[in-house]
Amino acid sequence: MSITTHSYGTTKHGEKVDLFRLENKRGTLVEIINYGATITSILTHDREGTLSDIVLGFDDIAGYESADNPYFGATCGRFANRLKKGSFTLNGTSYQLAKNDGENALHGGLRGFDKQIWEAQVNADTLILKRVSPDGEEGYPGNLLVEVTFQLTEENDLRIDYQAETDQPTFINLTNHSYFNLAGGGTIRDHHIQIHADHYTLVDETAIPTGELRAVEGTEMDLRCSLAIGTHIDQVQGLGYDHNYCLNQTDGSLTIAAQVIDPSSGRTLTCLTTEPGVQFYSGNFLNSFIGKAGNIYAKQNGFCLETQHFPDSPNQPSFPSTQLNPSDRYTQTCVYRFGIEK
Ligand code: BGC
């Protein structure tokens, strides 16, 4: 496994951005920039041995900085996913954050972790991206030291380890927001998916959980047996899948959450996590974006598996807690495992 460092230009604020290329002996290649701790490319082989880029993104830093970037490949935080009315109460104090998704807050606010420059360190075969999110940033309490470690193994696992510490109680929920397309382009409706979840968090029309964990059994949300994504997608509430699945395994061990197969290329993606939930988002809001190499990304041309705690947890006492105290250490792991089905 090797990691090389390349210049990726400067942001509109004049900050220098680097790109880190991780490559293993199989020829799998992952590129990550320290703007937003963003995965910009993942190249894997199909069953014929052809290498294609299986994540959506842009060609340059200006693309990633553009206002309509839908979090391609980014690390979302301090609180990924939605917070109802952009607010929460912690130890009796109410906090109001920016409402950047209608009446709600989404993915950490106006300038969340996805829009920040991270300090990079290459340590043998790992890339460590760190930053301090200062007390009050985007309205969140506490200085938070965050570290995200990326590793591409010879077994073809892209492993992402998250760690954080705070000096005041706060809430935290981190995730990676890569949009995958295992065919390297076109619709993802033909990909087959399996998610190991008997329940999902039922949401209102603004995608905020009602608090109910609804059984998937007998509904269009049931993905427990591998099924083409397109099978029931048009019956799903809203424009398609954009829901948090409550994983059956909740003991914090690294466990398979979901498996995706693209029958045409043979590429497979297995997603493992230590987190209790995964937001399966079928790229419903992709609206003919012009992305890498002039590719047009239309509705359902990419999907995300955002491993995380449940949305709006700070306002839902029955959900697993997302509170981080100074005496605790936040840790979680996500693995995207790449394979080929013959
Ligand atoms: C959300 C979608 C949102 C997308 C891009 C996903 O995590 O669930 O509703 O459109 O991120 O912002």
Side-chain angles (χ1 to χ4, degrees):
M1 223 293 289
S2 67
I3 303 183
T4 51
T5 306
H6 309 260
S7 173
Y8 198 72
T10 48
T11 66
K12 57 187 176 213
H13 304 292
E15 301 141 317
K16 199 173 144 319
V17 180
D18 283 325
L19 177 141
F20 301 87
R21 183 171 298 140
L22 287 60
E23 190 168 3
N24 67 14
K25 295 204 175 89
R26 297 174 188 236
T28 300
L29 217 132
V30 175
E31 292 182 329
I32 298 163
I33 55 172
N34 66 328
Y35 174 82
T38 299
I39 298 172
T40 56
S41 311
I42 301 180
L43 277 81
T44 68
H45 291 105
D46 68 6
R47 63 161 80 84
E48 313 298 337
T50 307
L51 211 52
S52 301
D53 195 347
I54 59 161
V55 287
L56 276 48
F58 298 105
D59 281 328
D60 54 22
I61 185 64
Y64 286 99
E65 285 189 280
S66 63
D68 47 4
N69 174 6
Y71 303 89
F72 282 151
T75 297
C76 297
R78 187 176 300 198
F79 201 94
N81 215 313
R82 292 179 172 83
L83 286 166
K84 185 173 183 175
K85 306 228 183 292
S87 72
F88 58 80
T89 300
L90 182 56
N91 296 337
T93 307
S94 296
Y95 294 87
Q96 182 62 56
L97 318 171
K99 297 176 179 174
N100 59 336
D101 184 61
E103 275 300 286
N104 303 318
L106 178 68
H107 295 330
L110 298 174
R111 193 161 182 218
F113 290 6
D114 60 294
K115 296 178 184 64
Q116 304 284 349
I117 296 287
W118 296 61
E119 188 191 314
Q121 191 188 325
V122 175
N123 196 349
D125 60 350
T126 60
L127 168 67
I128 304 166
L129 297 178
K130 295 184 202 191
R131 71 177 297 266
V132 174
S133 167
D135 180 27
E137 184 179 57
E138 289 293 327
Y140 291 91
N143 292 295
L144 186 80
L145 172 63
V146 197
E147 241 182 69
V148 186
T149 303
F150 294 90
Q151 185 183 24
L152 175 66
T153 71
E154 296 301 344
E155 288 71 46
N156 248 7
D157 282 1
L158 174 60
R159 182 181 169 111
I160 311 174
D161 289 292
Y162 300 85
Q163 287 188 39
E165 282 173 4
T166 183
D167 60 0
Q168 278 179 56
T170 190
F171 287 110
I172 180 169
N173 194 26
L174 304 179
T175 197
N176 180 269
H177 210 290
S178 288
Y179 288 67
F180 294 95
N181 184 317
L182 302 182
T187 184
I188 49 95
R189 291 170 71 105
D190 306 333
H191 288 32
H192 288 231
I193 191 163
Q194 179 178 27
I195 303 183
H196 300 285
D198 294 339
H199 295 88
Y200 69 102
T201 44
L202 187 72
V203 287
D204 68 14
E205 63 290 346
T206 70
I208 291 292
T210 62
E212 180 183 341
L213 307 187
R214 175 72 59 95
V216 298
E217 176 95 48
T219 74
E220 63 283 1
M221 301 301 288
D222 192 347
L223 300 173
R224 291 174 297 173
C225 294
S226 189
L227 194 81
I229 293 176
T231 313
H232 300 303
I233 199 169
D234 297 326
Q235 282 81 58
V236 173
Q237 171 196 21
L239 298 174
Y241 296 98
D242 191 3
H243 294 80
N244 169 66
Y245 280 84
C246 311
L247 297 169
N248 293 338
Q249 174 93 3
T250 54
D251 65 3
S253 60
L254 187 63
T255 308
I256 295 178
Q259 280 151 312
V260 184
I261 300 171
D262 167 39
S264 66
S265 66
R267 288 195 186 87
T268 65
L269 171 70
T270 306
C271 172
L272 296 90
T273 184
T274 55
E275 289 291 278
V278 63
Q279 181 88 6
F280 171 41
Y281 172 51
S282 52
N284 313 314
F285 300 114
L286 291 172
N287 187 12
S288 298
F289 280 84
I290 302 185
K292 282 182 230 178
N295 282 310
I296 306 216
Y297 303 140
K299 183 181 171 189
Q300 296 163 359
N301 280 188
F303 69 90
C304 304
L305 287 170
E306 304 158 54
T307 55
Q308 56 189 241
H309 269 61
F310 302 172
D312 200 33
S313 294
N315 298 312
Q316 293 284 350
S318 65
F319 288 180
S321 174
T322 48
Q323 186 170 334
L324 182 69
N325 294 318
S327 55
D328 306 332
R329 189 176 182 81
Y330 171 88
T331 58
Q332 62 127 318
T333 301
C334 168
V335 171
Y336 293 122
R337 176 171 294 163
F338 310 112
I340 302 169
E341 196 190 60
K342 295 288 172 193

